[in-house]
Each structure stands twice: as structure tokens, then as C-alpha cells.
Amino acid sequence: MRAHAIMYHDVVENGDFESSGFPGEGAHVYKLRREDFARHLDAIAAAGPAVGTIRDLKPSPVLLTFDDGGVSFHHPIADLLEQRGWRGHFFITTDRIGTAGFLSEAELRDLHRRGHVIGSHSRTHPTRMAALSRAELDGEWSESIARLSGLLSEPVKTASVPGGYYSRQVAEAAAAAGIAVLFTSEPTSRSAVVDGCVVLGRYVVQRGMEPGWSGGFAAGSPAQCWRQAALWKAKRVAKTLGGGGYLKLRQAILERKQ
Ligand SMILES: [Zn+2]
């Protein structure tokens, strides 16, 4: 199975990055302004391939995913998607439901009723998911899935890995918790299967990236997909070496025009 999954986080009005999702600059770099996000959606529409969900997975659909569970999923994100006839995948940090900046139970039910796919983004959003013990991983997945399934009166079977800290054990625990489709943050359109759970990569979009990135990811264009894959590999190497060159390299890659 191949899919072009794109990962977003919050989308805010008036540049108010505190208004939705996790606070702090580390989280804010992933948030987009509403007017910028609308241009990204226009670029996806212009790219051609149909936007779908995992419920209607056909060859190479474009999947739009949103992490953390911020209140902006309900407005403006869902509204902007629906204007184009699209639905999103919304991944929820379940311990945050109903807290400041995050979706309420009623808003989650409303998104589900409107045809969006609701999934888990773990219970507590651990800083380093892959460093948890198997018992802790089981708790993160099974407790968040149970909360969402109870809330929506329907089994919830999809999730995304918080912080992109993926390991095989993270997927094994997800499979054991009943998760059928698990999204990572690895920039790839290829999928793998772990204990019956389909593991799909995603291309990340963050603040400062031109709409052409979203359009390129949707089209599976080498200019964007390969470049982000190269960045991902460089990041791994830089982390391994502990070098400070990664930030400069990242900036250089992001600033290049399509
Ligand atoms: Zn997250």
C-alpha cells in the first residue's frame, strides 16, 4: 500500500499560536496561520490526486492528518476541509480533552459525526515515546483508544506516534491495543505491516514552508518528497553525531524554492 500522507498540527486565526494545541515555541513552529493553510489546501487541490481517508483507501490517495488535538481542528480546520469536500484525520492526546486550547468531548463527537476520522495521539504525549517500557506503551495506546471509542460509541482503530518517536515496539503495542493503521513522521509513501497493523509514513508541513510543499507532497513529487526524505536522513546523522550543523542544513533545505 502506498499513500501520500501529510502531517499538520494546529491552524490559528490572527497568528494567535497560543490559542490551540500545546504551548511554547517548540510546538508553535508546527502551527500555520489560517490564510496560509488555505493556500496549502489550494496547492493540494491543484496537484490533482484525490484527497481521501483511510476508510476509502484506493491506490495513492492523499491523506490529510492533524496531530495533538487542538481546538483549531474543529474551527477553522474542519470547516476549510469541508468547503473542498474533504475530510481529515484528527489525532487526539486524550488526557488533554476539554483542557485549555484542546477539543472538548462535544467537539470531538461533532467532528466524528461530520465524517472526519478520529484517532489516538497517545494518552499523555510522552516526550520520547520509543523510550517507554512495553507496559507504559500498552497503557498509552489502550487507555487513549478506550476513551475515544467510548466517547464516539465506535471502535477507534487509528493513531499517530507523538513526537515521531517510532520503534517497532511502539507499533507492536499499537497493534495489541487494536490499532489497525498507525501513522509515523517518517517522510515516505511506503507502508509496512507490524503484527497486522499498517504503518504509514507522513510528510510534515510546518510554519514557513511554501504551499508548494503541500502540493508536491500530494502529487508525490520528487522535488518535495525526496528533499524532505534527505532532510530526515541528515537529521538522524546530525543527532547521532551531536553536531550543530543540522539546524543550518535544515534552514538551507527549507529556504530553497520549489
Ligand atoms: Zn504531537
Side-chain angles (χ1 to χ4, degrees):
M1 183 200 299
R2 294 179 79 88
H4 299 135
I6 311 179
M7 169 172 54
Y8 301 94
H9 290 73
D10 289 285
V11 174
V12 302
E13 304 278 5
N14 305 315
D16 183 5
F17 295 109
E18 290 286 342
S19 64
S20 185
F22 288 106
E25 192 50 31
H28 293 181
V29 296
Y30 292 102
K31 301 178 184 179
L32 302 186
R33 290 178 168 81
R34 182 180 52 76
E35 54 275 25
D36 290 335
F37 180 63
R39 283 193 279 272
H40 279 257
L41 296 184
D42 289 342
I44 291 167
V51 172
T53 70
I54 54 171
R55 281 198 292 259
D56 51 27
L57 205 53
K58 300 182 188 82
S60 291
V62 178
L63 306 174
L64 304 182
T65 76
F66 301 84
D67 277 7
D68 291 348
V71 69
S72 71
F73 290 9
H74 193 254
H75 177 80
I77 295 175
D79 301 332
L80 290 167
L81 297 181
E82 289 172 25
Q83 282 170 16
R84 292 164 173 80
W86 299 344
R87 297 296 181 275
H89 303 76
F90 294 122
F91 295 110
I92 312 301
T93 309
T94 48
D95 269 9
R96 300 286 177 149
I97 295 171
T99 67
F102 289 85
L103 293 165
S104 67
E105 292 191 346
E107 287 165 335
L108 267 168
R109 281 197 205 93
D110 188 52
L111 286 173
H112 178 248
R113 184 186 57 76
R114 287 156 62 177
H116 299 279
V117 177
I118 306 295
S120 165
H121 193 50
S122 81
R123 186 171 72 79
T124 68
H125 205 289
T127 310
R128 294 180 67 222
M129 188 77 167
L132 299 188
S133 69
R134 176 59 198 264
E136 289 169 325
L137 286 173
D138 288 340
E140 287 287 341
W141 288 137
S142 62
E143 288 166 30
S144 64
I145 287 289
R147 172 120 189 238
L148 290 171
S149 300
L151 228 154
L152 305 177
S153 305
E154 181 182 297
V156 167
K157 291 185 160 296
T158 185
S160 69
V161 180
Y165 283 95
Y166 175 78
S167 69
R168 188 179 171 88
Q169 195 177 42
V170 168
E172 288 169 354
I179 293 165
V181 181
L182 179 67
F183 290 88
T184 71
S185 304
E186 181 173 356
T188 177
S189 58
R190 287 191 298 273
S191 63
V193 179
V194 175
D195 293 352
C197 174
V198 175
V199 179
L200 287 172
R202 291 184 293 175
Y203 296 92
V204 66
V205 171
Q206 60 190 89
R207 203 168 84 207
M209 289 170 68
E210 297 288 331
W213 281 91
S214 286
F217 294 149
S221 153
Q224 282 80 21
C225 296
W226 293 6
R227 202 188 305 172
Q228 191 165 89
L231 178 63
W232 171 265
K233 284 174 190 141
K235 186 174 170 180
R236 276 195 179 161
V237 170
K239 274 184 175 169
T240 307
L241 299 176
Y246 162 66
L247 285 177
K248 275 184 193 162
L249 178 67
R250 173 180 168 277
Q251 203 57 32
I253 292 174
L254 286 180
E255 281 173 359
R256 276 170 52 185
K257 296 290 174 205
Q258 290 82 47

